[in-house]
Each structure stands twice: as C-alpha cells, then as structure tokens.
Amino acid sequence: MTLSRPPKQLRLIIETDDFDSALRFYRDVLGLPEQPAFATDGEDRVAILNVATATIELATPTHVRNIDAIEDAPSSKGPTLRIALEVDNTEAAMTSVEEFGLEVLAPPRRTPFETINGRVQGPDGWQVTFFQELETLQERTRKKGFTTDVDRAR
C-alpha cells in the first residue's frame, strides 16, 4: 500500500555539538533562510533552514565510489549520508566555504554528467557537495546513461 499523497517536505536533521558554527555555515555562509521553530530554553536549540527543493538520492556503494573517483574526493567507510546542494556557481560557493574555514576535499571540477562539483568537509563530519547544473534535466535525459532504475539494463 502506498500513501494517498507523497510527503510534502524532506527534513534532514543534523545533530551538532557546535550549534553556532553549524548555524553560521548553513544560514550565514550558504544563505539558507531560517524559519520559526519551537525549542524550550537553555541548551535546547534548533534552527530550521529552508532549501527550496529536496530530493532523495539512493545509491549503491559502487555508485558512491564512482562519484568519489569522478570528483577525486576521498571515500568514507561504510554507509554514509551526504549533503549535496545545487548552487548557481560552484566556484563561488567553494570560495565562500573556504573563507569560512572548511577543508576542501575536492576542488570544483566538471563531471561527465555535465555538472561542476566541489566537495568540502562540513560541520560535524558531514561531507557537503556543491553542484552546478550545466544542462537541463530534459537535455540530460536524452543522453546515454541517463534513465530511471526500472529502465536501466542490468
């Protein structure tokens, strides 16, 4: 049985020991607008930051390692969660986060799937990839290798 309607929002909850640093990164450096959120007092702190669109990307370990190789970025051990954020300009995003003091794991590079990707070590151990689309989804869909899983040859 499926839901009568798909979920309306994807919310990724990142538990952080350095709340102020994480908030500065996501809200102030990346510019994600903060919306009101409920918390009590003292150390009970929360910030809900809005990203206009969210997707869930499911990937096999082989695919994750292939992306690591394309980006020339280090692989993590075991199953991981990563954050990937679409930006207008990957170079500018990387410059901003470097100025914030984050470690660059992979400098911006053009990928075979027509994006410019760069990766940093984000707050609290999360890897954050910035990607800039160079083609529309419609243009990409017409290229070899781009299909849905159900239609992919095995």
Side-chain angles (χ1 to χ4, degrees):
M1 180 176 173
T2 60
L3 296 174
S4 60
R5 290 193 210 167
K8 296 179 181 181
Q9 182 182 153
L10 170 66
R11 187 166 292 175
L12 175 67
I13 293 95
I14 301 173
E15 182 178 348
T16 177
D17 290 326
D18 191 345
F19 186 86
D20 291 318
S21 178
L23 184 60
R24 276 194 322 275
F25 175 67
Y26 291 104
R27 184 191 62 199
D28 303 336
V29 174
L30 298 183
L32 300 179
E34 185 175 359
Q35 65 187 53
F38 175 81
T40 57
D41 57 10
E43 290 300 309
D44 180 6
R45 296 177 68 192
V46 63
I48 297 175
L49 306 169
N50 193 326
V51 177
T53 301
T55 59
I56 296 175
E57 181 176 330
L58 304 175
T60 63
T62 301
H63 182 77
V64 170
R65 301 293 90 74
N66 286 340
I67 297 302
D68 291 341
I70 287 168
E71 294 180 359
D72 194 24
S75 294
S76 298
K77 294 184 186 210
T80 60
L81 289 173
R82 295 181 182 171
I83 299 172
L85 299 169
E86 182 180 358
V87 295
D88 291 331
N89 184 316
T90 299
E91 298 270 350
M94 293 291 288
T95 298
S96 292
V97 298
E98 282 182 88
E99 289 171 358
F100 181 73
L102 296 183
E103 175 190 359
V104 173
L105 298 175
R109 67 177 48 216
R110 190 178 191 126
T111 68
F113 31 92
E114 296 303 322
T115 61
I116 298 175
N117 290 17
R119 193 183 307 178
V120 298
Q121 185 63 59
D124 295 302
W126 289 76
Q127 291 185 6
V128 180
T129 296
F130 297 102
F131 67 99
Q132 175 183 343
E133 297 283 7
L134 301 176
E135 297 178 319
T136 66
L137 182 59
Q138 293 75 23
E139 291 170 322
R140 188 174 302 118
T141 304
R142 292 190 288 265
K143 291 186 170 184
K144 182 179 177 180
F146 287 92
T147 186
T148 59
D149 186 66
V150 72
D151 293 329
R152 192 174 321 280
R154 288 185 187 45

